[in-house]
């Protein structure tokens, strides 16, 4: 069974519970395979949690959920050392972050201190409490959500920290027919309960290895860098995409190519993924914001302008 | 575009080689047009390349070049005179006056300074083109090929000898092409070459070029396998046998000139060859009496003077023979036997075998070869020549009154037939009346023909009938003719202006070529049989004049005028460039020193006469070409399919096929913007044609391009799909 077929099984599995959200599922799997994390920005009730649960169940991984509240402390996320009178020593009790797939719900509701703890452990894939460092078991995939409509009592994530997330996605409402289908499926039972595991953690690790083998041609690298440097030169952009952003785009392209059953990246992959990777890594100028220009529009414009390489380097 | 500019040292090398090639272009131009200032042009080329190397901005380099151009003009045309306000304004005025001349389409009227400017502009453009070829296109093959063709044509059809030039062009051109190829290869791989790498590539090239050219130059030369095609080509071009049919005689030397006129055909029989460093007019005899129909020698015979071969000659009046500065030696080899000698102007000694005596008949200037009182012939003889120099200043001071001081009796040289129409005399006085000096009067007649629409023609030449006068007919009715018409008319008009003149017969200089000993050898055929004019200039004696259009007088006039620049069209410039002017405006020639130019002028004449046909032809060709171009979408696919069917199928070929398909689809109407990926494009194409052919082709192309899977693939299957699609896309 090829990698693409294996992944297709996972996606089909998710499809059983998430109707009409194939693209989001694909992107989530892409992030998972690329070893990145996803920030879902959407209103409550569109199925963010369901998506993550379905993904976790499909791959037989442990699933943890952290509901962020203003009074949540870093130790509530990372874990805490507790004195064990029997053993006469401190014992580390890992927090909810130590899991394979973690849903960090409403991340902008908690204090920056707690946010920082989460983001740091995402970046390092490890937890440090009382000088003791504990590696978080792989695969480790965080899907954070934030609610974009409520501002009172929230602590928006600093833009500079947003690039800890590989993608920023929007879920969106289902279409009319899709929503009816959601209702029909949930009429008698909860679909997620019947979901089977189709991928072992071992297989997932192998897939993550396979991603690294996907070929990225020199022309594609040039194209990625051209796109990234365009964001830096754009007059509407205050801070463009960093080299880390270019790297993230390349890695996600590799994963996406694997999902599409290819062993090489094409410019189409780059064009498709660039908005998800770049949008949250740019800081726009205030003037642009007043004019109502969004980061997504700028990325789209850049993609319309940068020429796609269709030749070998140097030959005309 | 994003590749770095070419390495500096590399560019210097390239420019140096291109400089050599351009030099080879200049050399023959300079030699054939008698332009003396090659250094001025070479400096200009060097400066242009230098500015290119320094990457000078245009606003700096263009003014600098213009300043240099102006300075060169000043240097060429005023020479030693310092740059002053007057000279600058004179030059400027002269250049500005050309605007009017050009506006009037009077191309012959362009002054020499302006000609030089045009030449500079041509050089400038050429250099620009070469820089583009070297720096941007990195391919010089076209220019190289043109250089070789240019030099080869000149070598074949003109007196220019390109033996050394071909060698130099070969070496520098091959090096240039090779080095540019290396540079192209390094570009293709998208990286700059280090010095070591470059040396590794270029040394074998250098070695190969130098070894092969050295080997070639030391190899013995083989004689030509084919007979020289030039005479044949010339005779074809000059249309032998297409003449009017009546009065056709063969060209050549004929002692009977009592009936002139009528057409004649070519005769390429070689009469003699002469090894001499400079072009010479070969004189045989003069005639003194014009009969309205031709020439006769009617004066009382004087006693012939016997001359011992090798002794110093004193004919023509030793006192009037101008002082010579340089002396030359000519070796003449007769191919046809003539009982009299051909000799150049300034002949001072004649060397023959010792058993003959030369008899000089003073009244005709002929040298008869006598042995034991009988006429005989010589196979070869040598002549010492004292190059004649006439001071232009002194010539311009000659006056008609000076004839009274001469002791010679001029009656026979002022003879004119009684029935000569008055309008001939009137015309002569009209032409010469404005001039003061004898020399200028003669010159004005000499110039008259070229400036008044006379045509050189060997075919349509009339013969005077009844009471018609040969000169009158030519001057006022036909205005077409060859040397006899021009020279006779000039003699008659000179005589009508009271200037003693006589008619000279002999041979034009012939075609020069470097012989095996490296000396100039002129071959004189019957086609070179010629007639010209001698006028007696008081204080100087008999001076030759050349009225015939297309021929140039080689008399050594020394331009020793005080630099009087009140007239921008000073005569010295005019004199210096005169031969060139003649060439440019002469529609046709009989015997020309350079066959190439004769060929050229024939073509020119043909084009002029058939201008309408030419214009219509060009228009038709343009329309056809435009249609072919416009409908290229239809025939290019067929061509491509045929081409690629024959080739083996692999990734490289597939790339080319795919690219050509993209171009064809573009012509068909599917425009792909730069930011469109190939698969996006393929989708729009497939949406139009149905199926998924383009997507299949694109997938295969992307697999190779982005995935590197270039080794295996179903190329044959793809070729079928490709053929199918490109056929559908063929408009």
């Amino acid at each position: 069974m090829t990698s693409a077929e294996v992944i297709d099984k996972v996606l089909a599995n998710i499809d059983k519970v998430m109707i009409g959200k194939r693209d989001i599922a694909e992107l989530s799997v892409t992030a998972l395979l690329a070893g990145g994390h996803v920030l879902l920005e959407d209103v409550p009730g569109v199925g963010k949690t369901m998506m993550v649960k379905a993904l976790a169940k499909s791959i037989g991984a442990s699933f943890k959920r952290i509901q962020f509240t203003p009074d949540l402390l870093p130790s509530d996320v990372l874990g805490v050392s507790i004195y064990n009178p029997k053993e006469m020593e401190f014992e580390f009790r890992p927090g909810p972050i130590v899991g394979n797939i973690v849903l960090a719900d409403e991340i902008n509701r908690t204090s920056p201190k707690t946010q920082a703890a989460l983001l740091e452990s995402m970046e390092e894939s490890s937890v440090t409490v009382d000088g003791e460092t504990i590696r978080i078991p792989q695969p480790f995939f965080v899907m954070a959500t934030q609610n974009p409509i409520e501002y009172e009592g929230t602590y928006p994530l600093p833009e500079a920290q947003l690039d800890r997330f590989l993608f920023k996605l929007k879920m969106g409402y289902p279409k009319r027919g899709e929503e009816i289908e959601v209702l029909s499926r949930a009429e008698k039972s909860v679909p997620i309960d019947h979901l089977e595991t189709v991928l072992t953690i071992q297989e997932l690790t192998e897939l993550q290895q396979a991603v690294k083998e996907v070929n990225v041609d020199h022309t594609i690298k040039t194209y990625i860098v051209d796109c990234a440097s365009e964001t830096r030169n754009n007059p509407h952009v205050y801070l463009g995409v960093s080299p880390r952003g270019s790297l993230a785009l390349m890695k996600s392209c590799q994963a996406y190519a694997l999902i599409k059953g290819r062993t090489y990246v094409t410019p189409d992959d780059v064009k498709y993924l660039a908005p998800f990777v770049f949008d949250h890594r740019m800081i726009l100028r205030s003037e642009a914001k007043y004019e109502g220009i969004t980061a997504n529009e700028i990325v789209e414009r850049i993609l319309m302008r940068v020429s796609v390489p269709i030749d070998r380097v140097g030959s005309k | 575009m994003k590749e770095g500019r070419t390495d500096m040292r590399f560019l210097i090398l390239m420019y140096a080689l291109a400089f050599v090639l351009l030099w080879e272009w200049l050399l023959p131009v300079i030699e054939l047009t008698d332009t003396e200032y090659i250094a001025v042009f070479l400096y200009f080329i060097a400066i242009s390349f230098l500015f290119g190397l320094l990457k000078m901005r245009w606003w700096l380099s263009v003014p600098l070049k213009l300043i240099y151009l102006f300075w060169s003009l000043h240097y060429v045309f005023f020479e030693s005179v310092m740059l002053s306000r007057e000279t600058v304004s004179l030059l400027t005025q002269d250049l500005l006056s050309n605007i009017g001349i050009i506006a009037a389409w009077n191309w012959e009227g362009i002054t020499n300074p302006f000609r030089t400017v045009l030449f500079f502009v041509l050089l400038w453009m050429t250099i620009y083109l070469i820089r583009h070829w070297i720096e941007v296109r990195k391919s010089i093959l076209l220019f190289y090929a043109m250089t070789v063709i240019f030099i080869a044509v000149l070598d074949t059809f003109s007196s220019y000898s390109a033996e050394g030039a071909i060698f130099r062009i070969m070496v520098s051109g091959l090096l240039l092409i090779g080095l540019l190829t290396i540079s192209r290869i390094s570009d293709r791989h998208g990286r700059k070459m280090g010095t070591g790498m470059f040396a590794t590539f270029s040394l074998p090239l250098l070695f190969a070029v130098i070894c092969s050219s050295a080997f070639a130059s030391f190899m013995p030369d083989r004689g030509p396998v084919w007979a020289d095609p030039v005479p044949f080509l010339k005779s074809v071009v000059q249309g032998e046998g297409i003449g009017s049919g009546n009065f056709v005689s063969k060209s050549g030397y004929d002692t009977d000139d009592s009936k002139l006129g009528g057409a004649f055909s070519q005769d390429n029989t070689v009469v003699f060859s002469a090894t001499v460093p400079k072009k010479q007019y070969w004189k045989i005899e003069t005639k003194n009496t014009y009969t309205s129909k031709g020439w006769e020698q009617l004066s009382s015979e004087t006693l012939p003077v016997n001359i011992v071969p090798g002794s110093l000659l004193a004919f023509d009046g030793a006192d009037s023979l101008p002082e010579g500065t340089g002396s030359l030696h000519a070796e003449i080899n007769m191919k046809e036997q003539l009982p009299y000698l051909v000799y150049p102007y300034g002949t001072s000694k004649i060397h023959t075998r010792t058993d003959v005596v030369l008899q000089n008949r003073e009244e005709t200037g002929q040298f008869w070869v006598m042995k034991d009182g009988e006429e005989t012939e010589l196979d070869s003889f040598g002549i010492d020549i004292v190059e004649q120099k006439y001071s232009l200043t002194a010539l311009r001071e000659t006056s008609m009154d000076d004839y009274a001081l001469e002791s010679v009796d001029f009656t026979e040289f002022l003879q004119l037939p009684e029935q000569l129409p008055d309008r001939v005399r009137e015309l002569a006085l009209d032409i010469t009346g404005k001039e003061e000096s004898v020399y200028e009067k003669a010159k004005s007649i000499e110039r008259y023909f070229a400036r008044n629409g006379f045509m050189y023609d060997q075919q349509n030449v009339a013969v005077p009938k009844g009471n018609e006068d040969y000169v009158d007919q030519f001057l006022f009715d036909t205005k077409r003719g060859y040397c006899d018409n021009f020279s006779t008319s000039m003699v008659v008009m000179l005589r009508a202006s009271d200037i003693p003149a006589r008619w000279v017969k002999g041979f034009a200089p012939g075609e020069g070529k470097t012989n095996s000993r490296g000396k100039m050898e002129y071959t004189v055929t019957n086609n070179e049989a010629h007639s010209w004019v001698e006028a007696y200039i008081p204080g100087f004696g008999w001076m030759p004049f050349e009225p015939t259009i297309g021929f140039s007088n080689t008399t050594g006039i020394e331009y020793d005028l005080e630099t009087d620049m009140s007239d921008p069209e000073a005569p010295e410039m005019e004199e210096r460039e005169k031969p060139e002017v003649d060439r440019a405006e002469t529609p046709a020639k009989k015997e020309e020193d350079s066959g190439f130019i004769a060929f050229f002028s024939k073509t020119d004449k043909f084009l002029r006469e058939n201008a309408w046909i030419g214009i219509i032809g060009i228009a038709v060709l343009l329309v056809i070409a435009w249609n072919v171009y416009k409908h290229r979408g239809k025939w290019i696919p067929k061509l491509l399919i045929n081409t690629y069917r024959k080739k083996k199928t692999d990734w490289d070929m597939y790339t080319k096929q795919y690219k050509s398909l993209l171009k064809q689809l573009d012509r068909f109407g599917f425009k792909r913007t730069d930011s469109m990926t190939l698969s996006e494009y393929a989708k729009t194409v497939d949406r139009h044609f149905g199926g998924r052919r383009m997507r299949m082709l694109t997938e295969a192309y992307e697999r190779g391009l982005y995935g590197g899977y270039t080794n295996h693939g179903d190329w044959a299957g793809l070729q079928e799909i490709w053929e199918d699609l490109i056929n559908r896309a063929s408009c």
Side-chain angles (χ1 to χ4, degrees):
Chain A
M1 198 180 264
T2 65
S3 311
E5 283 166 338
V6 172
I7 295 162
D8 211 52
K9 269 200 323 193
V10 176
L11 292 172
N13 216 31
I14 297 174
D15 266 356
K16 287 180 188 161
V17 287
M18 294 297 297
I19 293 140
K21 292 284 172 253
R22 177 78 176 209
D23 51 342
I24 298 293
E26 255 181 22
L27 287 167
S28 304
V29 173
T30 304
L32 173 66
L33 292 181
H37 309 285
V38 170
L39 177 64
L40 267 174
E41 193 178 63
D42 225 326
V43 291
V46 288
K48 291 175 291 200
T49 316
M50 188 63 78
M51 165 70 84
V52 188
K53 272 186 179 170
L55 182 61
K57 201 146 188 198
S58 299
I59 61 174
S62 67
F63 172 70
K64 298 269 178 63
R65 176 183 178 148
I66 313 167
Q67 183 66 47
F68 283 87
T69 54
D71 57 352
L72 201 73
L73 292 173
S75 56
D76 297 331
V77 176
L78 305 177
V80 67
S81 294
I82 295 171
Y83 185 70
N84 186 340
K86 215 185 270 174
E87 304 277 330
M88 301 280 283
E89 58 183 10
F90 280 92
E91 198 175 79
F92 180 68
R93 288 278 183 86
I97 189 75
V98 183
N100 290 129
I101 292 190
V102 178
L103 174 64
D105 224 354
E106 302 215 66
I107 188 174
N108 56 341
R109 282 203 171 277
T110 194
S111 63
K113 175 168 74 171
T114 314
Q115 286 173 353
L118 170 77
L119 294 170
E120 202 184 315
S121 53
M122 274 164 57
E123 179 73 10
E124 310 290 329
S125 281
S126 62
V127 171
T128 306
V129 176
D130 295 343
E132 199 177 341
T133 303
I134 296 187
R135 303 256 346 136
I136 300 176
Q138 292 296 324
F140 174 52
F141 176 63
V142 176
M143 192 174 257
T145 70
Q146 75 176 355
N147 185 339
I149 54 160
E150 278 179 82
Y151 293 104
E152 300 246 342
T154 61
Y155 305 90
L157 281 177
E159 274 138 331
Q161 291 199 5
L162 279 176
D163 73 349
R164 300 280 197 279
F165 293 100
L166 186 63
F167 294 152
K168 188 171 113 175
L169 307 175
K170 281 197 170 65
M171 203 90 174
Y173 289 109
K175 291 190 188 109
R176 188 163 169 270
E178 289 166 357
E179 197 168 341
I180 294 169
E181 177 69 22
V182 170
L183 299 185
S184 312
R185 287 200 194 174
E187 197 181 349
K188 296 282 180 333
S189 62
V190 188
I192 186 105
D193 294 345
H194 308 292
L195 216 56
E196 289 166 21
T197 300
V198 290
L199 190 72
T200 62
I201 294 208
Q202 174 65 31
E203 281 173 317
L204 181 65
T205 318
E206 278 169 19
L207 282 176
Q208 284 177 331
Q209 279 303 316
V211 164
K212 290 174 186 156
E213 299 301 318
V214 170
N215 184 34
V216 185
D217 192 71
H218 183 76
T219 53
I220 301 290
K221 288 173 194 158
T222 317
Y223 182 52
I224 291 175
V225 171
D226 284 350
C227 291
S229 61
E230 277 287 315
T231 65
R232 294 168 208 158
N233 300 328
N234 194 292
H236 296 302
V237 178
Y238 175 67
L239 187 70
V241 173
S242 62
R244 179 157 50 188
S246 312
L247 191 67
L249 180 55
M250 185 185 81
K251 287 197 177 269
S252 44
C253 284
Q254 284 177 298
Y256 188 73
L258 192 74
I259 292 178
K260 290 292 167 189
R262 274 185 271 110
T263 54
Y264 54 92
V265 176
T266 67
D268 296 88
D269 301 337
V270 179
K271 273 185 105 169
Y272 176 64
L273 293 177
F276 304 116
V277 180
F278 283 176
D279 277 5
H280 59 288
R281 290 169 201 260
M282 298 191 307
I283 302 177
L284 302 193
R285 289 188 188 279
S286 335
E287 298 92 318
K289 286 184 197 160
Y290 297 147
E291 286 171 29
I293 299 171
T294 63
N296 192 277
E297 279 170 12
I298 291 170
V299 173
E300 293 294 338
R301 276 188 219 169
I302 287 170
L303 290 174
M304 291 290 283
R305 204 164 52 229
V306 178
S307 51
V308 175
I310 60 159
D311 279 307
R312 279 283 156 87
V313 178
S315 66
K316 267 258 163 192
Chain B
M1 136 180 112
K2 49 195 175 241
E3 270 84 51
R5 302 284 291 186
T6 321
D7 186 60
M8 188 63 159
R9 290 164 296 174
F10 181 71
L11 262 189
I12 293 176
L13 192 60
M14 295 287 98
Y15 281 164
L17 291 170
F19 183 78
V20 174
L21 285 186
L22 262 180
W23 193 334
E24 297 300 343
W25 276 83
L26 272 188
L27 273 180
V29 172
I30 299 296
E31 193 176 315
L32 291 176
T33 57
D34 297 338
T35 314
E36 290 165 36
Y37 298 93
I38 186 169
V40 166
F41 298 112
L42 286 179
Y43 285 139
F44 182 74
I45 299 174
I47 286 172
S48 301
F49 280 146
L50 189 69
F51 285 179
L53 282 175
L54 296 176
K55 304 210 184 339
M56 204 178 267
R57 308 300 292 266
W58 65 269
W59 46 262
L60 191 57
S61 68
V62 170
L64 280 177
K65 283 185 202 167
L66 286 176
I67 290 170
Y68 175 79
L69 204 158
F70 197 82
W71 175 84
S72 321
L73 281 182
H74 192 278
Y75 173 74
V76 168
F77 291 102
F78 294 98
E79 216 150 331
S80 51
V81 182
M82 287 292 286
L83 196 77
S84 70
R85 192 191 277 172
E86 291 109 89
T87 56
V88 168
S89 72
L90 269 174
L91 202 54
T92 321
Q93 272 170 23
D94 183 69
L95 294 180
L96 289 178
S97 71
N98 282 281
I99 296 173
I101 294 173
I102 290 176
W105 289 78
N106 177 16
W107 298 110
E108 286 102 31
I110 296 174
T111 62
N112 282 316
F114 195 69
R115 268 165 216 263
T116 315
V117 170
L118 291 182
F119 192 64
F120 266 117
V121 171
L122 184 74
L123 266 186
W124 197 333
M125 291 195 294
T126 315
I127 290 163
Y128 189 80
L129 209 62
I130 290 175
R131 286 191 50 208
H132 177 80
W133 274 327
I134 290 181
E135 285 186 54
V136 183
R137 296 283 302 276
K138 308 208 173 192
S139 156
I140 197 89
L141 187 66
L142 188 63
F143 178 67
Y144 177 57
M146 285 191 321
T147 312
V148 171
I149 291 169
F150 174 68
I151 296 298
V153 166
L154 279 191
D155 186 50
T156 314
F157 291 100
S158 82
S159 58
Y160 180 69
S161 162
E163 269 163 45
I166 282 285
F167 183 75
R168 291 192 295 270
I169 289 169
M170 272 324 209
V171 173
S172 49
L174 284 176
L175 276 179
L176 194 56
I177 289 176
L179 290 174
L180 280 173
T181 310
I182 292 173
S183 140
R184 266 208 314 278
I185 291 171
S186 87
D187 275 359
R188 193 172 304 152
H189 293 273
R191 64 174 84 126
K192 267 190 145 180
M193 250 184 205
T195 315
M197 180 99 138
F198 188 74
T200 326
F201 273 100
S202 54
L203 278 178
L205 171 80
L206 200 71
F207 182 76
V209 170
I210 288 181
C211 279
S212 55
S213 46
F215 182 68
S217 68
F218 287 123
M219 287 294 279
D221 270 354
R222 213 187 139 172
V225 180
W226 292 338
D228 189 358
V230 176
F232 171 74
L233 284 178
K234 276 209 272 184
S235 65
V236 167
V237 168
Q238 286 166 352
E240 185 177 9
I242 313 168
S244 50
N246 47 350
F247 292 112
V248 175
S249 59
K250 275 208 162 186
S251 64
Y253 193 82
D254 186 358
T255 44
D256 180 18
D257 305 301
S258 54
K259 294 256 184 292
L260 293 177
F264 63 83
S265 64
Q266 298 291 306
D267 179 4
N268 285 317
T269 322
V270 177
V271 183
F272 64 94
S273 66
T275 312
V276 61
K278 288 187 178 173
K279 282 179 190 171
Q280 301 292 341
Y281 266 55
W282 304 98
K283 183 176 166 180
I284 292 175
E285 64 177 325
T286 63
K287 293 202 170 174
N288 64 357
T289 308
Y290 174 63
T291 63
S292 267
K293 307 286 179 205
W295 285 94
E296 277 166 25
Q297 179 63 32
L298 287 181
S299 62
S300 58
E301 291 211 358
T302 49
L303 265 183
V305 182
N306 281 338
I307 292 163
V308 182
S311 64
L312 193 67
L313 295 181
F315 69 97
D316 253 5
D319 55 325
S320 66
L321 191 73
E323 272 181 39
T325 43
S327 65
L328 307 170
H329 184 74
E331 274 299 329
I332 291 114
N333 274 302
M334 299 303 295
K335 301 281 157 49
E336 266 194 3
Q337 304 301 331
L338 295 176
Y340 30 75
L341 299 187
V342 292
Y343 60 97
Y345 280 89
T347 298
S348 65
K349 278 181 190 171
I350 301 174
H351 307 276
T352 65
R353 47 177 221 261
T354 48
D355 59 338
V356 295
V357 172
L358 298 173
Q359 238 177 39
N360 176 222
R361 301 197 182 147
E362 210 175 337
E363 72 280 1
T364 61
Q366 268 172 314
F367 286 91
W368 291 84
V369 187
M370 309 295 281
K371 189 182 177 187
D372 306 330
E374 301 233 339
E375 285 172 17
T376 181
E377 289 119 11
L378 286 175
D379 290 333
S380 65
F381 55 95
I383 291 178
D384 286 344
I385 309 164
V386 178
E387 274 194 287
Q388 289 170 304
K389 298 271 184 209
Y390 298 96
S391 154
L392 188 59
T393 320
L395 280 170
R396 286 184 162 183
E397 280 163 6
T398 51
S399 147
M400 293 302 287
D401 303 333
D402 295 343
Y403 283 113
L405 306 172
E406 298 281 341
S407 56
V408 193
D409 175 21
F410 293 120
T411 335
E412 61 179 302
F413 303 117
L414 292 168
Q415 168 273 340
L416 283 174
E418 278 177 19
Q419 66 270 33
L420 185 75
D422 283 342
R423 57 177 179 173
V424 176
R425 292 177 203 273
E426 281 159 18
L427 177 67
L429 292 174
D430 195 37
I431 298 168
T432 58
K434 284 163 269 175
E435 306 295 340
E436 281 295 315
S437 66
V438 178
Y439 174 73
E440 286 298 324
K441 280 175 190 286
K443 268 296 185 199
S444 64
I445 297 177
E446 187 187 45
R447 278 196 292 263
Y448 171 75
F449 303 98
R451 295 189 174 180
N452 287 280
F454 284 80
M455 296 274 279
Y456 187 91
D457 195 333
Q458 296 171 10
Q459 305 301 328
N460 308 307
V461 182
V463 180
K465 293 185 187 110
N467 288 331
E468 278 177 320
D469 181 89
Y470 178 69
V471 168
D472 181 73
Q473 184 187 40
F474 172 67
L475 282 178
F476 297 101
D477 299 337
T478 60
K479 294 197 174 188
R480 272 173 183 272
Y482 43 89
C483 55
D484 290 347
N485 297 80
F486 290 95
S487 55
T488 307
S489 301
M490 181 169 172
V491 174
V492 168
M493 286 203 281
L494 281 173
R495 289 181 177 183
S497 316
D498 291 329
I499 299 170
R502 60 192 185 190
W503 192 63
V504 194
K505 291 180 66 192
F507 288 91
E511 192 174 325
K513 257 196 173 167
T514 316
N515 67 9
S516 52
R517 285 169 296 156
K519 293 187 172 166
M520 281 306 281
E521 187 172 324
Y522 291 88
T523 309
V524 180
T525 68
N526 270 326
N527 286 334
E528 263 81 38
H530 192 42
S531 63
W532 60 98
V533 178
E534 276 181 6
Y536 194 93
I537 308 293
F540 291 88
W542 293 102
M543 251 184 90
F545 288 89
E546 176 57 275
T548 308
I549 295 175
F551 289 79
S552 58
N553 189 339
T554 50
T555 318
I557 302 286
E558 259 190 313
Y559 301 99
D560 55 348
L561 292 183
E562 295 295 313
T563 326
D564 170 20
M565 284 301 158
S566 58
D567 171 18
E569 265 191 275
E572 70 200 276
M573 295 175 195
E574 193 183 289
E575 297 289 353
R576 186 176 295 145
E577 295 290 340
K578 189 79 169 94
E580 200 192 4
V581 175
D582 277 350
R583 275 177 203 151
E585 59 190 25
T586 308
K589 282 145 229 186
K590 179 169 74 173
E591 312 107 73
E592 178 51 65
D593 41 306
S594 154
F596 174 62
I597 287 159
F599 173 83
F600 222 81
S601 56
K602 262 288 175 190
T603 319
D604 181 58
K605 186 190 172 197
F606 177 82
L607 286 178
R608 277 181 199 210
E609 285 173 356
N610 301 291
W612 274 110
I613 300 172
I615 289 169
I616 292 168
I618 289 169
V620 168
L621 279 179
L622 279 177
V623 169
I624 292 173
W626 167 246
N627 267 302
V628 169
Y629 178 77
K630 206 177 152 196
H631 297 292
R632 65 199 188 286
K634 280 192 182 133
W635 55 266
I636 285 183
K638 309 268 180 304
L639 193 74
L640 286 173
I641 289 173
N642 268 322
T643 320
Y644 287 117
R645 251 186 211 160
K646 286 174 199 137
K647 292 187 176 161
K648 79 175 169 68
T649 47
D650 61 2
W651 163 248
D652 285 336
M653 207 45 66
Y654 182 68
T655 312
K656 284 180 189 157
Q657 279 177 301
Y658 188 78
K659 289 282 176 56
S660 61
L661 179 62
L662 284 184
K663 272 191 195 145
Q664 179 61 28
L665 286 168
D666 182 79
R667 281 190 288 266
F668 186 75
F670 291 108
K671 302 287 173 205
R672 193 188 76 88
T673 57
D674 275 352
S675 64
M676 213 171 180
T677 65
L678 291 172
S679 45
E680 285 166 359
Y681 184 63
K683 270 181 211 157
T684 58
V685 173
D686 280 342
R687 208 174 297 140
H688 182 270
F689 289 118
R692 39 178 292 117
R693 290 180 204 83
M694 188 61 190
R695 264 173 286 179
M696 284 162 84
L697 293 172
T698 304
E699 237 161 66
Y701 181 68
E702 286 192 330
R703 261 171 70 82
L705 178 65
Y706 306 124
Y709 296 100
T710 54
N711 289 333
H712 37 77
D714 179 19
W715 307 123
L718 288 169
Q719 167 126 1
E720 264 177 45
I721 302 173
W722 176 82
E723 279 183 19
D724 186 30
L725 194 57
I726 205 165
N727 256 329
R728 281 163 188 263
S730 63
C731 307

